[in-house]
Amino acid sequence: MTEYTYFGNRGKLYIDNGAVAVLKGVEINVTMEYAELYAQSSILRQDVAKHTAKVEVKFKSAKFDPALGAGLGKIYGLVLAGDESGSITTTLTDTNDVALFDVELFIKGTGETNYTKITATNVYFEGLPFPAPENDFTVFDLTGYGDDVRIEETATMP
């Protein structure tokens, strides 16, 4: 009898080939709009076509790199600035460049080392909330949109 385990599922957020966060509660949805086509002489649908594909990426929580500029700050395209003490600050920049991320989702399979890796590429985030709940850890609830998705089988989770 095969036992299914789900606690091994997790994701990673990458930019410039470097991981900036480990994600939990990841959801990747490929959505499209559909157009139904009808003829003037029939009440029955004649054809259906899809368009406007989007790869929606959501995650409930993330553990970001402690340096905001290496993780959170890049979502808004913030610029790093350091000082002699090693402190790093970030500020908004006057640019319309958008930071693009890759999101990898690993889903544990039925075996000890079987995983499905789903990668959403070129994901952007429209906003970055900074929640500060009382008496609790900060949890980021972010939604972004990518342009492609890849699904592959892998033996290990990096």
Side-chain angles (χ1 to χ4, degrees), residues 36 56 72 90-91 149 152 156:
E36 294 181 337
E56 181 182 60
L72 288 172
T90 57
T91 58
V149 65
E152 58 189 286
T156 60

Side-chain angles (χ1 to χ4, degrees), residues 7-76:
F7 64 88
N9 301 342
R10 68 175 179 163
K12 291 183 179 181
L13 183 67
Y14 287 89
I15 188 169
D16 301 329
N17 295 320
V20 295
V22 177
L23 312 175
K24 291 181 86 177
V26 182
E27 184 178 327
I28 297 176
N29 299 307
V30 179
T31 62
M32 293 170 220
E33 293 183 32
Y34 292 85
E36 294 181 337
L37 307 174
Y38 293 88
Q40 189 172 12
S41 61
S42 174
I43 61 169
L44 302 176
R45 184 180 74 207
Q46 303 299 305
D47 202 0
V48 63
K50 58 186 174 184
H51 60 91
T52 318
K54 276 189 172 183
V55 179
E56 181 182 60
V57 177
K58 297 179 181 181
F59 53 89
K60 294 288 182 194
S61 66
K63 180 172 181 167
F64 281 90
D65 185 317
L68 283 180
L72 288 172
K74 288 189 177 182
I75 290 177
Y76 271 142

Side-chain angles (χ1 to χ4, degrees), residues 51-127:
H51 60 91
T52 318
K54 276 189 172 183
V55 179
E56 181 182 60
V57 177
K58 297 179 181 181
F59 53 89
K60 294 288 182 194
S61 66
K63 180 172 181 167
F64 281 90
D65 185 317
L68 283 180
L72 288 172
K74 288 189 177 182
I75 290 177
Y76 271 142
L78 304 177
V79 172
L80 287 173
D83 62 20
E84 308 81 40
S85 69
S87 176
I88 296 176
T89 59
T90 57
T91 58
L92 284 174
T93 59
D94 186 14
T95 179
N96 61 359
D97 293 336
V98 176
L100 298 175
F101 297 82
D102 287 347
V103 175
E104 290 182 349
L105 171 60
F106 294 90
I107 300 173
K108 184 151 177 52
T110 57
E112 289 296 317
T113 61
N114 298 331
Y115 290 91
T116 298
K117 177 181 170 186
I118 303 172
T119 305
T121 58
N122 295 321
V123 177
Y124 70 91
F125 299 95
E126 292 181 346

